[in-house]
Amino acid sequence: MRSVSKRRLFCLATGCLSLLLLVSGGYFSPATAQKPLADEGDLAKRLKRIPATSPEDSLKGFELERGFKLELVAAEPDVMDPVDACFDENGQMFVAEMRGYPYLPEQRPDYIPGPVRKNAGVIRLLKDTTGDGKMDQSFVFADTITWPTSVCCYDGGVYVIAPPNIYYFKDTDGDHKADIRETVFTGLKTNNVQGLANNLKWSLDNHIYFAGGTNGGSILKDGKEVIPNGRRDLKLNPKTRELEPVSGGSQFGHSMDDWGNRFVCSNSNHIQHVVYPSHYLKRNEYLAVPGVLRTAARKGAAAPV
């Protein structure tokens, strides 16, 4: 083994000593960090307020592909912070209002002003009583839940993803407010609000599929683990309340075409095709596949959308 000369050891020792002297001399002291100016004042008074855009004027800001039309159905104060919606067989509209985004009360920074509300999420029921295509009645169907990311109608009620739980809400006495409030599953993690489970959608096999997000979690039913920890997309049998993992890996959003082909997305890849659905892979547990997803974007991942 090559020996280290005394001269080299001396240089290393003096170099370390110089570094210690620099640190002890205050060169890395927090006192040298930039301090805010004393005359900054209240930024709220210095920054110009931007007036709110009316619901009618907001439609003018959208660019639509040929053949599409955009109409106003509901706006504040009848609905606020909507992230998902669905219609039942009577034409009633259920909306997931994800209030409180992006902070839970215990995660909210000190510089965010205003009161802190815990479990501020709401499921809104909207009705069109005149048949003109615009909602004219609004009811709080269910509240005091965490971030609701999706709502899906079933059997007179709705399934709702509001991590860490998946709920079933139903109104049985006609007062437009859910009197049945069941926590069907729990265990979905909430550590990243951008990675929550989301997007309940009916498929051709009469199951409700949803994106598992990126947080993962061990899903429990009646206190027993039914899905081990992992970042998986899942499908729900709404009648038997059985969950089954499926191929995918959606961060937020997914969809199916008329033939049952499934497409998923993430914030870095806006469209991927699930080319190996899990029910095919189960036929041969020894088959090794390079991956279940294939990018379908014309210009590849992270392309302009």
Side-chain angles (χ1 to χ4, degrees):
M1 181 180 294
R2 185 178 178 183
S3 61
V4 181
S5 66
K6 293 182 179 180
R7 178 181 177 85
R8 189 173 182 182
L9 285 173
F10 176 78
C11 292
L12 289 172
T14 53
C16 293
L17 179 60
S18 300
L19 179 60
L20 289 172
L21 290 173
L22 286 172
V23 174
S24 62
Y27 287 90
F28 293 92
S29 171
T32 61
Q34 184 177 1
K35 295 182 179 180
L37 299 176
D39 59 348
E40 274 190 354
D42 188 354
L43 289 179
K45 297 179 180 179
R46 298 175 59 191
L47 297 177
K48 183 179 179 181
R49 298 287 294 178
I50 300 175
T53 304
S54 69
E56 291 75 16
D57 288 341
S58 65
L59 293 177
K60 302 175 183 178
F62 288 88
E63 295 183 11
L64 302 178
E65 288 289 336
R66 182 181 302 174
F68 286 87
K69 183 179 180 181
L70 192 64
E71 298 181 25
L72 181 64
V73 175
E76 299 90 344
D78 292 333
V79 66
M80 62 181 295
D81 297 334
V83 295
D84 194 24
C86 63
F87 291 89
D88 68 4
E89 65 276 14
N90 298 312
Q92 299 181 126
M93 187 178 188
F94 293 86
V95 182
E97 297 183 352
M98 194 177 178
R99 303 184 185 185
Y101 174 88
Y103 300 111
L104 284 173
E106 60 271 18
Q107 297 173 330
R108 188 168 179 168
D110 294 335
Y111 58 80
I112 301 295
V116 176
R117 288 188 59 196
K118 188 175 182 180
N119 298 332
V122 170
I123 301 301
R124 180 78 59 173
L125 169 59
L126 301 174
K127 301 182 70 173
D128 171 19
T129 62
T130 61
D132 63 353
K134 295 184 178 180
M135 302 299 167
D136 50 74
Q137 289 187 353
S138 176
F139 306 92
V140 175
F141 188 72
D143 56 5
T144 63
I145 55 178
T146 55
W147 297 309
T149 59
S150 190
V151 56
C152 186
C153 296
Y154 172 72
D155 193 28
V158 291
Y159 278 101
V160 172
I161 296 180
N165 301 322
I166 298 177
Y167 296 99
Y168 181 72
F169 298 130
K170 187 174 183 177
D171 170 26
T172 62
D173 55 14
D175 64 352
H176 305 106
K177 188 175 181 65
D179 48 89
I180 293 179
R181 295 174 58 102
E182 298 178 282
T183 302
V184 184
F185 300 99
T186 191
L188 297 168
K189 290 185 178 180
T190 61
N191 48 294
N192 181 1
V193 68
Q194 299 183 52
L196 301 174
N198 61 88
N199 224 240
L200 296 161
K201 286 187 181 296
W202 281 98
S203 186
L204 295 177
D205 60 0
N206 288 323
H207 284 70
I208 300 174
Y209 286 64
F210 64 93
T214 59
N215 290 333
S218 297
I219 302 180
L220 307 177
K221 179 183 178 183
D222 299 327
K224 298 180 180 179
E225 184 181 72
V226 292
I227 300 294
N229 184 45
R231 293 160 51 180
R232 303 286 301 275
D233 291 350
L234 300 117
K235 69 175 183 178
L236 165 67
N237 184 323
K239 186 174 183 179
T240 64
R241 296 185 171 179
E242 294 176 320
L243 273 182
E244 181 182 341
V246 297
S247 299
S250 313
Q251 179 179 1
F252 206 101
H254 68 121
S255 187
M256 284 77 73
D257 64 13
D258 293 341
W259 293 271
N261 294 307
R262 188 160 167 265
F263 300 87
V264 301
C265 65
S266 68
N267 61 4
S268 59
N269 196 330
H270 57 279
I271 180 168
Q272 294 174 289
H273 179 204
V274 180
V275 293
Y276 292 111
S278 56
H279 58 273
Y280 291 127
L281 297 177
K282 288 180 180 178
R283 296 179 181 179
N284 185 353
E285 61 182 11
Y286 301 105
L287 175 65
V289 296
V292 298
L293 301 178
R294 181 177 178 84
T295 296
R298 179 180 300 178
K299 296 184 179 181
V305 179

